[in-house]
Amino acid sequence: MKKSNLLSLLLTLSVLPLLWSCSKSDGTSGGDEPAPVNVKCVRVNGGDLIQPDGSHLFVKGVNLAHWLNAEGYMFNFQKRSAHQIDEMFCQLVGPEYTAKFWQDFIDNFITIEDMKFIKSTGVNTVRLPLHYKLFTAESYMGSNDPDFGYEILDRVIDWCRQTGIYLIIDMHCAPGGNAGDNIDDSFGYPWLFTNEHDRKLVCDIWTGIADHCKGESIVLCYELLNEPISGHYSELYPELHPMMKRITQAIRKVDPNHIVMWGGANYNEIFEGVFDPNDGIFNPRSNEYDPNVMFACHRYNGDWIDPFVQWRDRIGRPMVMTEWGHGTTDQWQSDFAKKMQDNNIGYTSWPYKMTGPWESSYTMVVEPKNWDKIIEFEKAPRMNYEDIRIAREKVGQDVARKAMADYIENCRFRNCVQLPHYINSMGLK
């Protein structure tokens, strides 16, 4: 072989690894092995999280709740899910205006200004609750574009890079329902755990998200399922470990680096007896071993964390309280934050922003004029078309549309009320 040809070959071979490491294509290199990705991520080390520079990370954060997964109480409605709220708005002002409202809501409820303010409070992590429909052609929040979810992710990742805040990506609403309650926007049962179509779909969506984010070091972890299987359906608890493992292994086909987070049964409260600590995924001698799996717990209206600490110590993996808040007093919240810090359980409080007059968030949206009329419509009987017509006429479409437009204006960061007493109770600085 000529010297020039040999040099050309060597240069080509030296460039190939760089091309692989920068790739954001299908993430595979043949078989089930993920392609190399040149990114340093936060990793698990026993019960700790370690940053790329080798320092310990104690998560102190907040949830970007309600933004991409509306909950009734944060609009001062009843305990409604996202699709119920959407249907109510459509009955009141029509589908076209409702779609416009949702798109304006997405563009204004959380922005870079909110993220900069969040950073100023001492937060180092935000949790982003997502709805699976953002990644499908199903109609959701005024869109049926399966790429819309990736556009949102890119937007938030860019904000996180600008502010130096880690991102937890949370599948809050999975296909079929992960909890069987209003929080997952389901029809009242966790069909995810009984329907193969939904199980496959959630794996496909997570594979797409992981492939899209595999090169992003600002992404802290993938939280696979929020508050899976409420206690009403405890007979399904045995299905949780296999589902978590299946999603994890699907992710590993494209992303070998990022942490995967498993939530406990019954609103992220039960781990013992639900997960098998002897499973190969936790066994270093197994070919299924995954050193970057950790756990997420939740606790409201109580500060009992002993079971979480015990499970963390038994399994030897970190535990993060990815939801807590709405405490009875600021002092209670401050004490609870201190207790989690003392026990090495990081946390992201719930939520960052919600509608007043509640003072149970970092910032508050002032309820606009005539919003009470929308609340009355939401509470009114709407079981048939006559009910809907009567309730709508009591409000008036023009009045409702103006109130909804005013809500968009009020939810912008510059118009929100900051609540320092609540922020100070989070134990951030």
Side-chain angles (χ1 to χ4, degrees):
M1 180 180 290
K2 293 182 179 180
K3 185 176 180 181
S4 60
N5 291 339
L6 176 61
L7 180 59
S8 176
L9 176 61
L10 290 173
L11 287 172
T12 300
L13 291 174
S14 69
V15 167
L16 282 174
L18 293 177
L19 294 176
W20 290 334
S21 71
C22 296
S23 171
K24 288 197 176 184
S25 58
D26 66 356
T28 58
S29 57
D32 291 330
E33 292 299 318
V37 180
N38 186 22
V39 60
K40 292 184 178 180
C41 304
V42 176
R43 59 184 174 82
V44 168
N45 182 27
D48 296 323
L49 294 173
I50 304 300
Q51 300 185 83
D53 65 3
S55 62
H56 175 258
L57 172 65
F58 183 86
V59 171
K60 289 185 177 182
V62 69
N63 279 267
L64 303 182
H66 189 49
W67 181 33
L68 304 172
N69 178 48
E71 289 195 39
Y73 85 99
M74 285 195 262
F75 274 134
N76 286 335
F77 300 154
Q78 298 179 85
K79 193 178 181 182
R80 303 285 189 187
S81 68
H83 78 269
Q84 291 172 323
I85 297 168
D86 179 75
E87 182 178 35
M88 182 272 292
F89 281 147
C90 286
Q91 292 170 349
L92 180 58
V93 298
E96 183 177 357
Y97 193 87
T98 297
K100 179 182 184 302
F101 171 82
W102 287 130
Q103 289 296 298
D104 290 342
F105 183 80
I106 289 174
D107 287 341
N108 291 282
F109 191 78
I110 300 293
T111 66
I112 183 61
E113 285 74 26
D114 291 278
M115 292 290 288
K116 289 177 179 178
F117 174 71
I118 288 170
K119 177 65 174 181
S120 74
T121 67
V123 158
N124 60 28
T125 304
V126 293
R127 180 176 181 250
L128 181 67
L130 294 173
H131 198 300
Y132 84 92
K133 290 181 181 179
L134 291 164
F135 303 91
T136 72
E138 296 182 61
S139 180
Y140 185 69
M141 298 190 83
S143 174
N144 59 1
D145 181 358
D147 291 328
F148 188 51
Y150 297 110
E151 293 173 13
I152 295 291
L153 276 176
D154 288 343
R155 188 185 306 182
V156 177
I157 287 170
D158 181 58
W159 295 341
C160 286
R161 285 200 212 98
Q162 290 185 51
T163 55
I165 299 176
Y166 284 116
L167 175 64
I168 295 174
I169 301 175
D170 157 45
M171 183 62 70
H172 216 74
C173 302
N178 37 291
D181 207 338
N182 69 296
I183 58 173
D184 66 0
D185 197 29
S186 70
F187 293 104
Y189 190 86
W191 276 291
L192 171 66
F193 299 94
T194 63
N195 188 329
E196 175 58 22
H197 173 270
D198 293 328
R199 289 194 289 257
K200 182 179 184 304
L201 181 56
V202 76
C203 288
D204 289 345
I205 291 171
W206 264 122
T207 301
I209 292 172
D211 190 35
H212 190 80
C213 299
K214 63 189 178 187
E216 304 291 353
S217 60
I218 203 69
V219 172
L220 174 58
C221 66
Y222 308 132
E223 190 172 349
L224 302 187
L225 297 170
N226 175 66
E227 298 189 346
I229 313 180
S230 81
H232 300 293
Y233 311 107
S234 57
E235 70 277 5
L236 294 176
Y237 286 176
E239 303 297 326
L240 183 53
H241 186 120
M243 188 73 257
M244 293 294 199
K245 184 173 179 178
R246 179 173 173 177
I247 301 172
T248 300
Q249 293 178 332
I251 287 172
R252 291 305 182 223
K253 291 180 180 180
V254 297
D255 186 348
N257 296 313
H258 282 96
I259 294 171
V260 169
M261 182 182 279
W262 293 12
N266 193 35
Y267 306 104
N268 277 26
E269 289 189 345
I270 303 175
F271 300 87
E272 192 70 53
V274 172
F275 297 117
D276 179 7
N278 298 311
D279 185 86
I281 210 161
F282 303 119
N283 184 350
R285 294 183 294 277
S286 169
N287 59 8
E288 295 183 321
Y289 179 62
D290 194 319
N292 274 326
V293 173
M294 61 179 290
F295 294 91
C297 58
H298 291 176
R299 181 71 79 204
Y300 290 100
N301 300 320
D303 62 355
W304 188 42
I305 61 173
D306 290 354
F308 306 149
V309 174
Q310 290 164 9
W311 177 256
R312 189 264 318 274
D313 292 345
R314 179 183 180 192
I315 202 76
R317 303 294 180 95
M319 178 76 76
V320 171
M321 184 81 67
T322 54
E323 283 188 30
W324 70 289
H326 296 329
T328 53
T329 65
D330 289 346
Q331 187 61 53
W332 180 91
Q333 291 184 158
S334 181
D335 292 343
F336 191 21
K338 178 66 162 54
K339 186 173 186 178
M340 287 187 281
Q341 292 170 19
D342 291 344
N343 285 276
N344 193 29
I345 292 183
Y347 52 83
T348 54
S349 61
W350 182 279
Y352 162 65
K353 183 186 289 187
M354 62 185 297
T355 309
W358 286 57
E359 292 198 7
S360 192
S361 54
Y362 286 44
T363 60
M364 180 178 68
V365 180
V366 177
E367 189 178 283
K369 182 181 178 181
N370 291 321
W371 194 255
D372 60 322
K373 296 184 183 300
I374 295 179
I375 293 173
E376 288 175 12
F377 180 85
E378 184 263 337
K379 290 180 178 178
R382 289 176 284 110
M383 294 299 293
N384 55 57
Y385 287 102
E386 184 177 5
D387 286 347
I388 295 169
R389 177 180 58 77
I390 292 171
R392 183 171 55 234
E393 288 177 353
K394 286 183 178 179
V395 180
Q397 292 191 54
D398 290 342
V399 171
R401 289 176 178 175
K402 178 64 164 59
M404 292 169 70
D406 289 345
Y407 186 95
I408 297 300
E409 184 64 27
N410 289 2
C411 82
R412 294 177 178 175
F413 175 73
R414 66 175 179 265
N415 297 323
C416 287
V417 177
Q418 298 175 18
L419 301 172
H421 68 92
Y422 185 88
I423 298 168
N424 291 338
S425 72
M426 296 290 102
L428 296 170
K429 291 185 176 180

